[in-house]
């Protein structure tokens, strides 16, 4: 006999009806370090997301490249649940099945010698900074506490106090000082400025192959290769932040590959966790990595069994489903479609692969206003600056979805 479903009693129905809405609860109890759009997302599949009212949206930002494989990819979910049923986290004082395999795979794919696992992208960059400083003292013989790291204006490497301290964006820094010394900023895309800034105390040059939060800024052709030559000649480490640009986002496994550059060290994150977990890594030459000894650096969750299982599967999916090649092909299609829009609002369309920025005339409208209008038409994205709209959909996106999005982008720009 089929069991009857229990109907909620009147008190339960009233309690549910009177419960605060998710947005109300977030606004009441969450620190306001974000200003989210008024939509509550409850489900994702591939390139699509649904809200709590059943409305459907095309994801054109993929959580800053973290969801490059698409939402709820079945192979990644299976890897996650399968490993979780066995063991997820235990101390790094013991070996796991997946960590060595993940390290080997990443080293083979990037041309690096060793890997150090972390969780967030900011943690990976902090690790790179620690490694560069200790390398400077123990290998290059820079006087203790005098090492400098050069970074670029417009950079975004994370939100720790150290990383915002080297930012040139005032709102990231206001009220959070004092900041760690030892950083020097130069203009982005200017190799001559790098050469002029290097001193005997310079440990490393930290750079994004394409600036993401800075406005999807693509440097001049040959810039990264010139920086690599300068760093090698001056005995300075070239550290590339590939947290957003890596793992196929620009149409190559690493954005460095567009200029044939193998840096001395690099950071990965975002897509490495398959859109399911925070997973990051710092990779470098053996000379750089050998500066660490047990107890000098670590992370409770860095390199845990669950993270390694998901990251290994994410790398498999990236290659076996040709997502890197797809990024190059679909990125070209998206860029050409955006360039075909005739609007006085558009000042420039730029980017590589499926990392594209549309710079608009901020005297007419803000990028945020355009993103808000796109939300109303079922397209989710975000501004990278007040005048740049970011388009970075999951790498699984197809031509039909791109054309659907561009039709709505065109319509919005006509109405603003």
């Amino acid at each position: 006999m089929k069991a009857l479903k229990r109907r909620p009693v009147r008190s339960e129905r009233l309690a549910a009806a009177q419960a605060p809405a998710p947005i109300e609860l977030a606004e009441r109890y969450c620190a306001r370090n974000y200003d989210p759009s008024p939509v509550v997302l409850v489900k994702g599949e591939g390139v699509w997301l649904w809200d709590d009212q059943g409305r459907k949206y095309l994801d054109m930002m993929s959580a800053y490249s973290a969801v490059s494989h698409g939402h709820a990819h079945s192979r990644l979910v299976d890897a996650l649940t399968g490993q979780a049923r066995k063991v997820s986290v235990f101390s790094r004082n013991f070996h796991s099945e997946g960590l060595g395999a993940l390290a080997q795979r990443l080293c083979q794919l990037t041309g690096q010698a060793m890997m150090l696992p972390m969780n967030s992208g900011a943690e990976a960059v902090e690790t790179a900074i620690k490694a560069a400083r200790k390398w400077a003292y123990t290998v290059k013989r820079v006087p203790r506490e005098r090492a400098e790291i050069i970074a670029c204006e417009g950079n975004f490497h994370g939100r720790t106090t150290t990383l915002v301290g080297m930012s040139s964006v005032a709102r990231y820094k206001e009220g959070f000082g004092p900041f760690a010394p030892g950083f020097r900023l130069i203009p982005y895309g200017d190799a001559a400025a790098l050469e002029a800034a290097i001193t005997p105390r310079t440990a490393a040059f930290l750079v994004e192959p394409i600036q993401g939060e800075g406005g999807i800024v693509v440097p001049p052709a040959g810039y990264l290769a010139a920086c690599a030559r300068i760093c090698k000649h001056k005995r300075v480490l070239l550290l590339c932040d590939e947290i957003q640009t890596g793992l196929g986002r620009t149409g190559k496994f690493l954005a460095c590959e567009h200029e044939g550059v193998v840096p001395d060290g690099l950071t990965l994150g975002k897509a490495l966790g398959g859109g399911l977990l925070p997973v990051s890594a710092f990779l470098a030459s053996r000379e750089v990595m050998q500066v660490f000894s047990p107890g000098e650096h670590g992370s409770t969750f860095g390199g845990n069994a669950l993270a390694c299982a998901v990251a290994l599967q994410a790398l498999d999916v990236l290659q076996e489903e040709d997502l890197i090649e797809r990024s190059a092909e679909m990125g070209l299609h998206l860029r050409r479609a955006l360039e075909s829009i005739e609007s006085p609002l558009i000042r420039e369309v730029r980017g590589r692969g499926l990392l594209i920025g549309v710079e608009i005339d901020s005297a007419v409208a803000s990028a945020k206003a355009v993103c808000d209008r796109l939300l109303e038409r079922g397209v989710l994205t975000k501004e990278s600056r007040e005048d740049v709209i970011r388009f970075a959909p999951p790498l699984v996106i197809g031509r039909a979805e791109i054309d659907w999005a561009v039709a709505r982008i065109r319509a919005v720009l006509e109405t603003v």
Side-chain angles (χ1 to χ4, degrees), residues 304-366:
N304 68 76
L306 191 61
C308 291
V310 171
L312 280 165
Q313 189 64 231
L315 294 171
D316 285 344
V317 169
L318 196 70
Q319 293 186 298
E320 293 168 15
E321 298 188 5
D322 298 322
L323 296 187
I324 300 172
E325 294 79 3
R326 189 180 187 87
S327 175
E329 180 185 351
M330 292 299 104
L332 183 60
H333 180 68
L334 174 57
R335 182 170 176 175
R336 286 175 174 171
L338 291 169
E339 289 172 339
S340 73
I341 298 175
E342 295 182 3
S343 169
L345 266 178
I346 296 179
R347 303 182 70 174
E348 184 183 12
V349 178
R350 56 179 180 257
R352 273 193 176 137
L354 283 170
L355 180 62
I356 297 176
V358 176
E359 183 176 338
I360 65 170
D361 187 347
S362 59
V364 180
S366 69

Side-chain angles (χ1 to χ4, degrees), residues 131-142 144 235 287-288 290-292:
R133 285 174 171 166
K134 191 158 189 187
W135 172 86
Y137 301 135
T138 60
V139 178
K140 192 176 178 178
R141 299 299 178 184
V142 172
R144 292 280 174 164
R235 206 184 184 205
E287 180 182 87
V288 173
Q290 59 84 30
V291 304
F292 288 111

Side-chain angles (χ1 to χ4, degrees), residues 110 224-226 228 238 240 242 254-264:
T110 61
L224 200 62
L238 174 62
C240 288
E242 293 261 14
L254 298 175
C256 296
E257 295 175 17
H258 288 285
E259 295 196 3
V261 170
V262 179
D264 299 295

Side-chain angles (χ1 to χ4, degrees), residues 32 35-39 55 57-58 61 345 360 365-386 388-391 408-409 411-413 415-416:
R32 195 168 182 185
D35 185 21
S37 300
V39 57
R55 291 184 293 253
Y57 303 86
L58 182 63
M61 67 177 291
L345 266 178
I360 65 170
S366 69
K368 185 180 187 307
V370 175
C371 292
D372 290 343
R373 295 282 186 92
L374 288 171
L375 172 69
E376 295 169 2
R377 292 176 180 261
V379 177
L380 298 181
T381 191
K382 188 184 182 295
E383 70 277 8
S384 281
R385 291 186 329 214
E386 64 178 14
V388 178
I389 307 165
R390 175 202 304 262
F391 295 110
R408 282 146 184 81
I409 295 165
V412 164
L413 292 175
T415 64
V416 173

Side-chain angles (χ1 to χ4, degrees), residues 62-63 65-72 76 270-278 310 314:
S62 59
S65 300
V67 193
S68 288
H69 301 76
H71 296 277
L76 295 175
K270 303 291 187 190
L272 191 58
L276 300 177
L277 294 171
V310 171

Side-chain angles (χ1 to χ4, degrees), residues 51 73 91 116 163 247 281 301 308 336 416:
D51 69 12
H73 193 293
S91 171
L116 197 160
L163 301 184
L247 280 74
F301 288 92
C308 291
R336 286 175 174 171
V416 173

